[in-house]
Amino acid sequence: MRLQTTVLGAGVIQGLIFWWLWHALKLGHWPATEPLAYTALLYAAFAVPLVIYCLQGIARFPAWLRRAAALAYLVVYAALGAYAAWASGATGRQTGLEPANVLAALVLGFVSLSLLCGFDVALRRWNYARLFNYTWRNGILLVTAAAMTGAAWLVLFAGASLMALIGVKQIKDLITEPAFIFPVTSLVFAAAFSLGLARAAMAESIRRFWLSISSWLLPLVLFFGVLWAAAVPFTGLDPLFKTKSAALIMLWFAALAVKFSNCAYQDGEISSPYPPWLARATQAAWLSLLPVVAIAWWALGLRVAQHGLSEQRLWAGLVAAIAAIYAVGYALSWLKAERWIASIARTNIVAAIVLCLGLLAFLTPLADIQRLAVSFHVRHVTAAHGAIEPDWNYLRWRSGRFGREALQGIAASTDGPTDGKWQKQATSMLAQTRPFETAPTVVSEAYVQEKLRVFPRQQMLPASFLKHVQASKQDWMFSKCLEASASCVVWLGDLNNDGQNELLLFNSERQMHGTVFTQSNDTWKQAGNFSSRGSDGKFDSARLEDAHIAQPDWSDLVVDGKRLRLQLNQQ
């Protein structure tokens, strides 16, 4: 009874705090006027009740430690929230919430709570069976509580809609009020979690049944791992790298192998889930994951060398590091043949600790992921000496205060193109007041020339085309190119042997498709479109300098005055 009171009480308080924060944001009073305070309270209000829920019913877990843990998570998550708002540069009624950072904070909370639940205070060490059982218990109950909360709202809306059919609309009006939504949602979630705690034995039975079935997928996964490792020496890595998502695919494969290995091992109480011959075979087959993870690292390294480090690649690096711990840790079990993958327990604990440390570093000033990504990005484009454009929109709108500080540095720097293009662009981006802000209403010829890069370089945009762009600046063909954060490329040449240049306007600097323009008496009109068949749509615009006109391999056939244009299959 005391357990239910604690959980329900935490749910009610959480709902009231959420309603108060929403009300403050809507009306514009404190704490919504202070982004650091508001986001700190939001993080803490979300985290602390979940800590209270997940620490209920833990065997040999003192009450003083439960209270200390709730206080510690309150302080840590309030600090994480305040720092997130500061790093985003939020002002006014902005919160600075970034989806990736929020998800990382949730993962950090769940994994760290699992480690806390699995720690045996009396023995002062981790007990893997304890960690496994409470991690799965909390995970199942959280998912079940979320599903039950959704079902409860479905019933409320169905009932309210039914009553509205006979003119009783007050119920529907009531359940759509924020003062009802936030407290009721939190209370229903808490009640569902509390009910799950009271029926923990049933959840455990369902878990064991599901894991036992899932464990038989491990031999299939490892069979493909062995098949892949055996085939790679003959196929080479070129087909793999051409996918441009090699690291992602291989890391997902490694994650599946880890998942099904843990389904088979469970809490380690059974010596082996398979017959002896299959147990030995799966343990040997796990060695195939070593080259999978190693080549995933290689593929990720090639992408970093080519395109530099971004936030996504930094997150991928953390995932790859965890995958390497699993691959090496589980492989070491081969040295101890007396027990099936004996090192799973120890490896899982090490991986969980490293994951928590990595997430904590990326979410704090220790190694803020946006700060690192911005620093690497600026260093990468600067080292290219103008051959690579900075991602202006990322620096201005998607990287918080660090991106804006980088723009200020570019605006005051002498690095980059010698014509001062970067300095002008950085200054223009800093002046923007909203994302993807377009060019000024009045577009000068100089502005058009700056936004349209001409190839071959000895060519110049015809004055008549400059006037055409000025007059048609709102057309979709030109508006994207004229945005403050964008630019396009143009190729000039005589494509139909009429003595006048045609103009190919590429939709962006990296897209191999666009619009063809022709001129007649200084008047330009759209003649058609162009694209590259079979291309992935991306190219290096600098290659237009060496572009040349090619005659068709196959001529058209004219029948009864109608031209038959041949479209051949790609060889």
Side-chain angles (χ1 to χ4, degrees):
M1 184 65 183
R2 184 177 179 181
L3 181 150
Q4 292 179 337
T5 302
T6 301
V7 173
L8 293 177
V12 170
I13 294 173
Q14 182 188 48
L16 292 174
I17 291 175
F18 278 156
W19 173 80
W20 172 59
L21 291 174
W22 176 88
H23 194 260
L25 187 64
K26 181 182 179 182
L27 299 183
H29 60 69
W30 194 91
T33 54
E34 298 291 338
L36 270 67
Y38 187 87
T39 313
L41 287 169
L42 194 61
Y43 267 56
F46 193 88
V48 174
L50 294 181
V51 173
I52 294 173
Y53 301 161
C54 292
L55 293 183
Q56 297 300 314
I58 304 295
R60 302 189 302 279
F61 201 88
W64 67 266
L65 184 55
R66 189 179 296 112
R67 289 190 292 270
L71 180 60
Y73 275 88
L74 170 65
V75 173
V76 169
Y77 271 79
L80 287 177
Y83 179 74
W86 177 85
S88 70
T91 58
R93 283 191 275 177
Q94 299 173 339
T95 60
L97 294 177
E98 292 286 343
N101 289 355
V102 172
L103 178 61
L106 289 173
V107 173
L108 172 63
F110 183 77
V111 176
S112 60
L113 271 175
S114 299
L115 288 171
L116 183 59
C117 292
F119 192 77
D120 193 319
V121 179
L123 299 178
R124 297 183 180 180
R125 63 178 178 83
W126 274 286
N127 182 308
Y128 184 73
R130 176 188 177 96
L131 186 152
F132 178 87
N133 288 328
Y134 287 124
T135 298
W136 273 94
R137 185 205 72 170
N138 289 337
I140 291 173
L141 292 184
L142 287 171
V143 172
T144 303
M148 288 299 298
T149 303
W153 272 107
L154 184 63
V155 171
L156 283 173
F157 271 105
S161 298
L162 185 66
M163 297 301 295
L165 292 175
I166 57 174
V168 182
K169 299 181 179 180
Q170 291 84 351
I171 297 177
K172 195 169 186 178
D173 294 338
L174 173 64
I175 68 173
T176 55
E177 285 291 327
F180 182 90
I181 293 173
F182 290 107
V184 169
T185 300
S186 297
L187 180 60
V188 171
F189 187 92
F193 196 96
S194 177
L195 185 62
L197 286 173
R199 304 288 189 274
M202 183 175 64
E204 182 178 350
S205 299
I206 295 173
R207 182 202 74 198
R208 287 189 177 276
F209 174 72
W210 169 251
L211 294 182
S212 296
I213 294 177
S214 300
S215 66
W216 286 96
L217 290 174
L218 176 63
L220 180 62
V221 170
L222 294 181
F223 167 76
F224 280 108
V226 172
L227 196 64
W228 182 87
V232 161
F234 301 97
T235 63
L237 296 176
D238 285 344
L240 184 81
F241 292 147
K242 285 180 180 178
T243 64
K244 299 185 179 180
S245 55
L248 175 65
I249 295 171
M250 288 187 289
L251 289 175
W252 266 112
F253 184 85
L256 285 175
V258 170
K259 191 263 186 189
F260 291 124
S261 294
N262 281 274
C263 288
Y265 187 80
Q266 296 192 29
D267 56 7
E269 292 182 354
I270 57 176
S271 58
S272 172
Y274 307 116
W277 68 270
L278 184 57
R280 190 65 175 165
T282 55
Q283 194 158 333
W286 181 265
L287 299 176
S288 66
L289 268 293
L290 291 174
V292 169
V293 174
I295 294 177
W297 267 97
W298 186 9
L300 183 60
L302 291 176
R303 295 293 289 177
V304 170
Q306 185 178 6
H307 301 288
L309 273 170
S310 62
E311 289 182 44
Q312 291 80 5
R313 294 185 191 104
L314 285 168
W315 286 121
L318 178 59
V319 173
I322 302 301
I325 292 173
Y326 281 122
V328 174
Y330 289 11
L332 290 175
S333 295
W334 180 255
L335 302 177
K336 296 182 179 180
E338 67 276 4
R339 183 175 175 81
W340 185 76
I341 311 190
S343 61
I344 279 185
R346 187 178 295 107
T347 302
N348 286 354
I349 292 173
V350 172
I353 294 172
V354 172
L355 177 61
C356 287
L357 293 176
L359 291 173
L360 195 61
F362 277 173
L363 295 175
T364 62
L366 291 174
D368 185 285
I369 192 166
Q370 285 190 334
R371 188 186 77 229
L372 291 177
V374 168
S375 175
F376 284 122
H377 179 66
V378 173
R379 200 178 308 168
H380 181 67
V381 298
T382 302
H385 303 292
I388 303 174
E389 282 275 323
D391 188 338
W392 300 109
N393 268 313
Y394 170 73
L395 294 177
R396 178 64 179 91
W397 296 109
R398 304 197 308 275
S399 53
R401 69 168 57 244
F402 306 112
R404 291 191 283 278
E405 289 173 357
L407 284 175
Q408 292 168 357
I410 293 173
S413 173
T414 57
D415 294 331
T418 56
D419 58 1
K421 177 184 175 182
W422 284 12
Q423 289 78 7
K424 294 176 184 177
Q425 187 71 26
T427 303
S428 174
M429 293 301 300
L430 288 168
Q432 284 190 8
T433 57
R434 63 182 184 275
F436 305 107
E437 189 172 301
T438 57
T441 304
V442 179
V443 177
S444 65
E445 290 187 5
Y447 186 84
V448 176
Q449 288 177 324
E450 179 184 334
K451 288 298 178 181
L452 301 181
R453 295 172 55 202
V454 183
F455 292 93
R457 287 192 171 91
Q458 67 270 20
Q459 294 277 11
M460 294 185 62
L461 280 176
S464 55
F465 188 76
L466 291 174
K467 296 184 184 300
H468 178 72
V469 174
Q470 287 178 289
S472 310
K473 62 181 181 292
Q474 298 300 327
D475 290 356
W476 66 270
M477 293 174 290
F478 303 122
S479 60
K480 180 66 178 177
C481 300
L482 297 178
E483 288 180 359
S485 59
S487 62
C488 294
V489 292
V490 164
W491 184 88
L492 283 169
D494 187 1
L495 291 172
N496 57 2
N497 296 318
D498 64 351
Q500 289 187 314
N501 282 340
E502 280 68 51
L503 186 146
L504 272 61
L505 174 67
F506 290 76
N507 290 342
S508 76
E509 294 192 12
R510 294 190 299 167
Q511 299 298 321
M512 198 177 287
H513 54 78
T515 308
V516 180
F517 292 89
T518 59
Q519 60 175 323
S520 176
N521 297 325
D522 289 338
T523 300
W524 291 83
K525 65 177 182 180
Q526 181 183 353
N529 302 302
F530 65 88
S531 62
S532 175
R533 290 186 62 204
S535 169
D536 61 2
K538 294 186 177 180
F539 79 117
D540 182 0
S541 59
R543 294 183 179 274
L544 285 173
E545 186 66 27
D546 302 321
H548 64 279
I549 299 172
Q551 296 300 320
D553 294 331
W554 295 73
S555 300
D556 295 343
L557 179 67
V558 179
V559 180
D560 194 21
K562 301 183 185 302
R563 183 182 294 270
L564 303 182
R565 181 158 296 170
L566 305 182
Q567 295 182 349
L568 302 179
N569 296 328
Q570 285 186 299
Q571 300 299 320

